Amino acid sequence: MKYDPVKNLVFSAVRSFPGLRKLFFKALDMLFLRQWYVKKKMALSFDMEQKINFYDAGAGFCQYSDYILKHWMHSKVFALDLKTDYLKDYAISAEQNYPQRFKWIEGDLVLYKPETKFNLVAAIDILEHIEDDKQVLKNFFDCMIPGGKLIISTPSNLDEAAKFTAEHVRPGYAPEELKSKLLQAGFIIESLEFSYGKLGKLSWLFAMKYPLTLLSHSKLLIVLLPIYYLLLYPFIFWLMKKDINSLNVKGNGLIAVAQKPV
């Protein structure tokens, strides 16, 4: 399955109607359990009064950049991605809402080595796209201050859907593999847990897979989506909440927090 065409379609709508951005980010929060996990780890890692210098590595739509800028008033964000249209568009919004606090650059995570030092780096659904993931982890380590945190979200090797995603170079990670690569890069592992357990996987089916399957038959069926989510979202929300508050012994995702030694 290819996700980039879907992303580009959504981006076109947001670019055409900039006022939709907040609504779009809210929809991502509502539908993607991954964002619940990542934001929970961010909130546990930093007090709201702390100054965060955040490296959004492979920033995509910049929803995590926006989250940090909005909730940590003393934060600054540097975002990097190979795909610049999302970054350019968000930068316009960020300059209006958070002047002088957001910078970005086009770059390859394997090759680019930031000169700035960060106390928070996030790589969300990124490593599974990159062949030389060891070099990327080394680059992260080198650009962090001692005590800085790295947050990673990636598919696990139990995620069957990840094996058929066209943009992936590997079908997810086993926990031992990700742990080993983090340790080789020099990190101390604070936590490494499964996300998207049984209930989380079920929430993904109802929140994403079934609606996208519906749209694949005809784009005209998009008019049915508001009714679909109105009826099913309370159930989806319950599944997501139960999953994030559970200790999953298996799951389709991995969420890791690592620290550069002090």
Side-chain angles (χ1 to χ4, degrees):
M1 186 173 185
K2 292 186 177 181
Y3 286 100
D4 280 348
V6 178
K7 292 179 181 178
N8 292 335
L9 181 64
V10 172
F11 172 69
S12 297
V14 174
R15 169 176 274 182
S16 301
F17 304 97
L20 289 177
R21 187 182 309 279
K22 288 184 179 180
L23 185 61
F24 171 56
F25 283 170
K26 182 65 176 176
L28 292 179
D29 275 337
M30 291 177 66
L31 297 176
F32 284 93
L33 179 58
R34 171 197 321 123
Q35 298 201 178
W36 292 29
Y37 275 98
V38 172
K39 292 181 178 182
K40 180 179 180 180
K41 294 300 184 184
M42 289 176 170
L44 289 172
S45 297
F46 294 91
D47 294 332
M48 291 299 176
E49 296 303 316
Q50 283 184 264
K51 182 178 180 180
I52 296 181
N53 201 16
F54 174 42
Y55 179 17
D56 195 352
F61 291 118
C62 297
Q63 65 267 39
Y64 299 106
S65 293
D66 192 76
Y67 176 71
I68 292 293
L69 290 168
K70 181 178 179 181
H71 290 87
W72 280 267
M73 302 304 293
H74 306 293
S75 62
K76 291 188 176 181
V77 173
F78 173 74
L80 177 142
D81 208 310
L82 282 170
K83 197 172 179 60
T84 61
D85 46 0
Y86 300 164
L87 288 171
K88 288 179 182 177
D89 193 67
Y90 178 74
I92 296 171
S93 171
E95 189 57 33
Q96 294 172 351
N97 296 306
Y98 316 108
Q100 306 300 310
R101 294 173 57 198
F102 179 81
K103 294 182 179 180
W104 67 274
I105 192 172
E106 177 184 6
D108 185 326
L109 290 171
V110 176
L111 302 175
Y112 185 75
K113 299 180 180 180
E115 295 181 2
T116 305
K117 297 296 183 181
F118 304 94
N119 61 349
L120 175 61
V121 178
I124 311 305
D125 280 1
I126 294 299
L127 292 182
E128 66 273 16
H129 297 266
I130 300 173
E131 192 71 47
D132 194 358
D133 53 352
K134 290 183 180 180
Q135 182 61 50
V136 172
L137 292 174
K138 182 180 183 302
N139 292 345
F140 290 161
F141 186 88
D142 291 343
C143 76
M144 294 170 64
I145 66 169
K149 302 290 183 73
L150 169 65
I151 297 175
I152 292 173
S153 175
T154 188
S156 79
N157 61 337
L158 303 178
D159 185 355
E160 293 298 322
K163 299 176 183 178
F164 300 100
T165 300
E167 295 90 358
H168 290 182
V169 299
R170 61 177 56 79
Y173 289 86
E176 297 77 13
E177 179 189 6
L178 183 57
K179 179 180 179 180
S180 174
K181 289 181 176 180
L182 284 167
L183 292 174
Q184 286 177 37
F187 288 101
I188 297 168
I189 297 177
E190 287 193 357
S191 63
L192 177 56
E193 304 156 2
F194 280 110
S195 59
Y196 283 91
K198 287 183 178 180
L199 297 179
K201 287 185 283 186
L202 192 58
S203 74
W204 178 80
L205 290 175
F206 284 101
M208 298 305 301
K209 184 175 181 179
Y210 296 155
L212 288 177
T213 302
L214 186 71
L215 290 178
S216 69
H217 294 296
S218 172
K219 297 296 186 292
L220 296 176
L221 294 175
I222 195 170
V223 298
L224 298 178
L225 287 186
I227 300 172
Y228 174 90
Y229 283 118
L230 184 64
L231 293 173
L232 290 180
Y233 189 73
F235 177 58
I236 294 169
F237 178 85
W238 179 83
L239 291 171
M240 294 166 74
K241 188 172 182 179
K242 292 290 286 186
D243 189 83
I244 199 170
N245 290 320
S246 301
L247 180 60
N248 297 310
V249 294
K250 294 192 297 183
N252 278 7
L254 291 173
I255 181 82
V257 180
Q259 184 181 53
K260 183 170 182 175
V262 176

